[in-house]
Amino acid sequence: MAGRFRVSDNDLIRDLLAPRFAQGISTVVFAGYGVVTLLNVQNVVSGTLGLVLCTVAVAALYTLQILLTSPRARRWSGRRRAAILVSQVVLTFGPMVWLGIAWGSMAGPLAGSILLMLPGRIAWPCYGAVPLAILGWSASGGISALETGYYAVSTALTGLVIYGLTRLTDLVREVHETRAEMARMAVTQERLRFARDLHDLLGYSLSAITLKCELIHRLTPVNPERAREEVESVLGVARQALADVRLVASGYRDMSLAAEAESVAEVMAAADVETKVDIDCGRLHPLVDTVLATALREGVTNMLRHSKVQSCVITVRIEGEAVRLDLVNDGVVAQDRPDAPDRGSGLGNLRTRLAAIGGEMRTGVLAGNRFRLTAVAPLRPCKGEDAEPLLGRRGDAGRQGV
């Protein structure tokens, strides 16, 4: 499982640093705009006090700008957003009364903040109003047409740059968080797959070992030779269970319905259960074969655990574009009947497996204290998200059964 989700140290470090790197680029760009503004007002401001005041105003504006471009700002209440935007409007247009159009470069960040903070139907008209305001201010100040156009276009582009950088930073952060969530989901899915496969495999194998050991216990005093043969059979089941566990851990397992039916018949014979097997379905798709073999294994496991079975019938038939497995057994008494269809995890696992390939499972108690499990699967399974992992675990080692 580790090999499937292995990530290099360099990739991990890059993923961790990507959001911070994107935020750092945005911060450097904003600081650059602030420096450009200070350079523009040097020719207008006289004295150290004026320059200090301008520096404080620039620092305040870009502090607000960094706050507005942070991810938390998109979750602020409408009242808080409005208060921040009003503060930025005052700090943008207030100094222009004193410094004139030299302070106009601060309008670009305001345009970007409007796009970030306001709903789209309001944001874009308000954004367009900012360059128009700079255009009108420049024209009324007697500035040449070329400079007027420059200030207006610069304001519009600066707003778009700030908006674009902020959204890209948000997207980098979202991609990073999504990748982390996908990794967690993949690990969780693999854990569920492992638990499901382990349950399906070991539940049947351990039931078979228990039955055979009980048979050996009865045979030892009266028929030692037969008991010795059954011991060899138990060893074979135990070895196969160990091999199955290793296959589950490595993620590669395939099963055959025909081989599983033969194994079931052998186990039932050891348990003195009369078994009739009638399989007429030909060669099945590997995925359908595996799922139906799993259904048969889980059905027999439940039968041995929850009923006093004396006879059972296993039937597999093709019906149109589907294949149907029926497992019917007797020996069901009132206190052994399940309270709910999904009692335990086994039948729930089967429903999940069958649903993943477009099939279904039905269970119910019949007349004569008999129980029926029916599993229906399409001849051509769908390959959804849940089915793909099953296709990826095909191998030959698991075809032996137990």
Side-chain angles (χ1 to χ4, degrees):
M1 184 169 67
R4 192 174 298 179
F5 302 111
R6 187 174 297 141
V7 180
S8 69
D9 291 340
N10 291 334
D11 290 340
L12 192 59
I13 293 173
R14 187 162 52 248
D15 286 346
L16 291 174
L17 293 180
R20 298 180 182 178
F21 184 66
Q23 184 65 47
I25 290 176
S26 299
T27 302
V28 169
V29 170
F30 300 156
Y33 281 124
V35 171
V36 169
T37 302
L38 290 176
L39 293 176
N40 288 338
V41 300
Q42 276 187 345
N43 297 328
V44 180
V45 176
S46 59
T48 305
L49 180 59
L51 189 58
V52 169
L53 290 175
C54 287
T55 302
V56 171
V58 169
L61 266 173
Y62 280 99
T63 298
L64 288 176
Q65 190 65 55
I66 292 173
L67 286 175
L68 289 171
T69 55
S70 67
R72 296 186 298 272
R74 254 69 76 207
R75 298 190 292 269
W76 286 351
S77 64
R79 181 177 299 178
R80 187 175 183 183
R81 292 185 185 189
I84 295 292
L85 281 177
V86 168
S87 301
Q88 193 170 2
V89 169
V90 172
L91 288 173
T92 298
F93 290 105
M96 287 181 65
V97 178
W98 170 37
L99 300 172
I101 199 61
W103 190 258
S105 58
M106 300 304 292
L110 173 63
S113 298
I114 289 173
L115 291 178
L116 292 170
M117 291 292 101
L118 297 180
R121 63 182 182 277
I122 302 175
W124 288 103
C126 293
Y127 159 80
V130 175
L132 290 177
I134 296 298
L135 183 66
W137 197 300
S138 301
S140 63
I143 299 175
S144 66
L146 183 61
E147 287 183 314
T148 299
Y150 165 78
Y151 284 124
V153 172
S154 175
T155 299
L157 290 179
T158 300
L160 290 176
V161 167
I162 290 176
Y163 172 71
L165 280 175
T166 303
R167 291 299 300 140
L168 285 175
T169 302
D170 290 344
L171 289 175
V172 169
R173 185 175 289 102
E174 290 172 9
V175 168
H176 173 71
E177 292 174 353
T178 300
R179 288 188 60 184
E181 183 63 27
M182 289 177 65
R184 286 191 292 270
M185 290 176 62
V187 171
T188 301
Q189 184 179 16
E190 186 66 6
R191 287 174 177 171
L192 290 174
R193 193 276 305 174
F194 185 87
R196 182 173 60 231
D197 287 358
L198 201 61
H199 175 277
D200 293 342
L201 285 169
L202 289 188
Y204 175 76
S205 299
L206 293 177
S207 296
I209 290 172
T210 301
L211 284 171
K212 287 181 176 290
C213 287
E214 291 175 351
L215 178 61
I216 293 168
H217 180 72
R218 295 196 304 268
L219 290 174
T220 300
V222 296
N223 193 343
E225 289 298 324
R226 172 74 187 282
R228 189 177 299 110
E229 293 176 1
E230 291 298 333
V231 168
E232 294 178 358
S233 177
V234 169
L235 289 175
V237 173
R239 292 190 186 101
Q240 185 60 51
L242 179 60
D244 286 340
V245 170
R246 289 171 177 168
L247 289 171
V248 171
S250 62
Y252 294 95
R253 184 173 68 85
D254 195 10
M255 297 173 63
S256 166
L257 178 59
E260 196 64 32
E262 293 179 4
S263 177
V264 165
E266 179 184 346
V267 171
M268 289 302 190
D272 294 328
V273 176
E274 181 183 351
T275 305
K276 180 180 179 181
V277 179
D278 184 8
I279 298 179
D280 184 17
C281 59
R283 187 175 180 179
L284 298 174
H285 187 284
L287 180 56
V288 175
D289 211 17
T290 296
V291 173
L292 289 180
T294 303
L296 177 58
R297 174 172 289 195
E298 179 60 32
V300 171
T301 301
N302 282 345
M303 178 197 309
L304 295 174
R305 287 178 178 175
H306 304 303
S307 70
K308 299 177 181 179
V309 58
Q310 297 296 320
S311 66
C312 70
V313 178
I314 301 169
T315 307
V316 182
R317 289 286 185 271
I318 300 293
E319 296 183 351
E321 294 298 318
V323 56
R324 172 172 171 164
L325 164 67
D326 284 302
L327 176 60
V328 181
N329 65 276
D330 62 2
V332 179
V333 293
Q335 57 266 32
D336 290 329
R337 295 179 183 179
D339 299 326
D342 284 342
R343 181 183 179 184
S345 60
L347 297 184
N349 288 343
L350 282 183
R351 285 190 170 85
T352 301
R353 287 176 181 271
L354 286 163
I357 62 172
E360 63 174 345
M361 187 189 74
R362 299 186 295 271
T363 59
V365 178
L366 307 177
N369 291 331
R370 294 181 301 158
F371 184 81
R372 169 179 284 171
L373 182 150
T374 301
V376 181
L379 292 175
R380 297 179 180 178
C382 66
K383 299 179 182 179
E385 294 180 359
D386 295 330
E388 288 297 336
L390 292 172
L391 284 168
R393 297 201 300 274
R394 292 173 54 188
D396 296 327
R399 288 186 178 273
Q400 283 297 112
V402 292

